[in-house]
Amino acid sequence: MRARFPASAPAQQAWTNIADVRSRLLAEQAYASVAQPFVDRGIEEVLVQVHRKVGGRMPTTQLMAYVAEHIAEGHIRIADRAFSVFCVVAANGVATSWQDEAVGVDAQ
């Protein structure tokens, strides 16, 4: 993940608040910002990193529960296995996603 994930989200990305003040996910906003970009592209499995020692590979169907469990622990980075679709969930409860420009599809 460290070698292939972009250092930061593109500056022009729109960030969406996906958690309330108690770090509980706002279901609709969270799904639309975090899982939907992968689901829309038919991606069934993602790589997730919360921090150096926490993360793994999981089906997109388990992604939202995992993000809810770890939301305030750090900047969560999510990518498909091809590293073409990315999502960042910041520790403060905002998220953004985008697609690699080399893929040729507009960013999310």
Side-chain angles (χ1 to χ4, degrees):
M1 183 70 90
R2 183 178 286 180
R4 301 211 35 215
F5 200 94
S8 63
Q12 72 275 14
Q13 288 303 112
W15 290 79
T16 303
N17 186 22
I18 66 163
D20 65 16
V21 295
R22 295 184 182 161
S23 296
R24 291 179 299 204
L25 289 185
L26 303 170
E28 289 181 32
Q29 294 92 321
Y31 185 82
S33 294
V34 177
Q36 195 70 51
F38 298 98
V39 172
D40 285 351
R41 290 171 180 84
I43 297 167
E44 297 178 359
E45 186 175 73
V46 293
L47 304 172
V48 182
Q49 181 184 41
V50 178
H51 52 72
R52 195 169 57 93
K53 294 184 179 184
V54 176
R57 183 180 72 192
M58 69 190 60
T60 54
T61 56
Q62 296 175 5
L63 180 58
M64 295 314 302
Y66 193 82
V67 169
E69 181 180 345
H70 297 284
I71 191 154
E73 295 178 27
H75 279 44
I76 301 171
R77 300 187 302 173
I78 307 163
D80 64 326
R81 293 184 65 167
F83 286 90
S84 62
V85 180
F86 306 96
C87 178
V88 172
V89 179
N92 65 355
V94 297
T96 189
S97 60
W98 69 97
Q99 185 165 354
D100 185 359
E101 292 176 14
V103 175
V105 177
D106 293 333
Q108 286 294 310

